[in-house]
Amino acid sequence: MNPATTKPDLPRCAILGGGGHARVLIDCIRESGLAEIEGVLDSDSSLHGQKILDVPVLGGDDLLGGMAAEGVTHFVVGLGGVGDNRPRRRLFELGCSCRLIPLTVRHPSAMVSRWAGIGPGCQLLPGIVVNACAVLGKNVIVNSGAIVEHDCVVGDHAHIATGARLASTVQVGIGAHIGAGATVRQSIRIGEGAIVGAGAVVVKDVGPGVVVAGVPARPIR
C-alpha cells in the first residue's frame, strides 16, 4: 500500500456521561469517522460493565485522569441538558483539567458555513444549520434540526435544543438553554443561565437566570 494513501490513525476519545445523548454522539462520531471511541465514563455505578450501543462503560469519572497515559487524547461531553447546563460545564472542565482535548463533533448532515466560528467541544448534530458569521462558544450543543442564523453569538456551554430556531443577530448567554422547537426573534438577547421553554416564541430580551415560556414568551420564574 502506498503510504501516501494510508488513512492516518484517528484520535482516541472518551465520552463523559452515558445517557441518551451519548448514544447520539456515538452515532455521530461513527458516521463522521472523527475518532476511535475508547469507552464511556459515568458516575452511575449501575452502568459500569454495560455497553451503550457497542461502547463499553468503563467506570466512573475518576478513571479519566489515567486515560491520557493509555493514549487517549480527546474527550466528548456525553451529557445532554434540559435546562441546567452546569453539569455539562463541570464535565467539560474536568476533561480539560485532565489535559485532554475537547473533540468537536459534527454529523455529516450538519450544514455549517465556512464563515461560522465554532468553539472547541461543540456538538453539531444531524440536520442542523449554522449560517455565516454565527459564532458558537465552547461546549455548545446545536441539537438535531436546530437553526442558528447569521451573526448569532452563542455563549459557552449553551444548548440550542432540538428544532429550535435563532433568527439573525441573536445573542445567547453562557449556559443558557433554548428549548425544543422554540423560536427567538432577531436581535434578541438571552441572558446567562436563562431558560426558554419548549415551543416558546421570544420577542423580548430575557434576563440572566430568567425562565420564560409561552407564545409570546413571558417569565414564569
Side-chain angles (χ1 to χ4, degrees), residues 144-146 160-165 177-184 196-202 215:
S144 303
I160 313 302
T162 304
R165 295 163 292 184
H177 178 88
I178 311 298
T183 299
V184 182
V196 174
V201 176
V202 182
V215 181

Side-chain angles (χ1 to χ4, degrees), residues 1-217:
M1 181 179 292
N2 184 347
T5 63
T6 303
K7 187 176 181 180
D9 291 338
L10 293 173
R12 293 164 62 191
C13 74
I15 295 180
L16 310 184
H21 188 65
R23 296 185 181 93
V24 176
L25 293 172
I26 291 168
D27 185 57
C28 286
I29 293 168
R30 294 277 170 76
E31 288 293 316
S32 58
L34 286 171
E36 293 290 343
I37 304 171
E38 188 76 7
V40 174
L41 302 181
D42 197 287
S43 58
D44 183 356
S45 60
S46 68
L47 295 176
H48 299 173
Q50 299 188 30
K51 289 188 175 182
I52 297 176
L53 300 185
D54 59 351
V55 178
V57 181
L58 302 175
D61 298 341
D62 57 300
L63 298 180
L64 189 61
M67 297 187 84
E70 299 174 359
V72 173
T73 56
H74 289 68
F75 74 93
V76 176
V77 176
L79 183 66
V82 292
D84 184 359
N85 286 311
R86 288 175 295 182
R88 291 186 52 251
R89 179 174 183 168
R90 181 189 69 80
L91 288 176
F92 183 87
E93 292 172 348
L94 174 63
C96 292
S97 72
C98 293
R99 300 185 179 182
L100 298 179
I101 301 167
L103 182 71
T104 297
V105 177
R106 177 175 172 177
H107 190 271
S109 66
M111 298 179 62
V112 181
S113 169
R114 61 181 293 190
W115 305 109
I118 307 299
C122 283
Q123 299 173 5
L124 310 170
L125 301 188
I128 65 99
V129 176
V130 179
N131 265 332
C133 299
V135 177
L136 308 182
K138 59 190 177 187
N139 192 33
V140 169
I141 301 175
V142 183
N143 220 320
S144 303
I147 298 173
V148 178
E149 263 299 348
H150 66 86
D151 298 288
C152 289
V153 178
V154 180
D156 299 344
H157 315 294
H159 182 184
I160 313 302
T162 304
R165 295 163 292 184
L166 305 184
S168 63
T169 63
V170 170
Q171 296 187 37
V172 178
I174 293 170
H177 178 88
I178 311 298
T183 299
V184 182
R185 195 189 68 182
Q186 65 269 23
S187 303
I188 293 294
R189 293 172 178 261
I190 307 295
E192 180 174 347
I195 299 174
V196 174
V201 176
V202 182
V203 297
K204 295 182 180 180
D205 290 353
V206 178
V210 174
V211 180
V212 299
V215 181

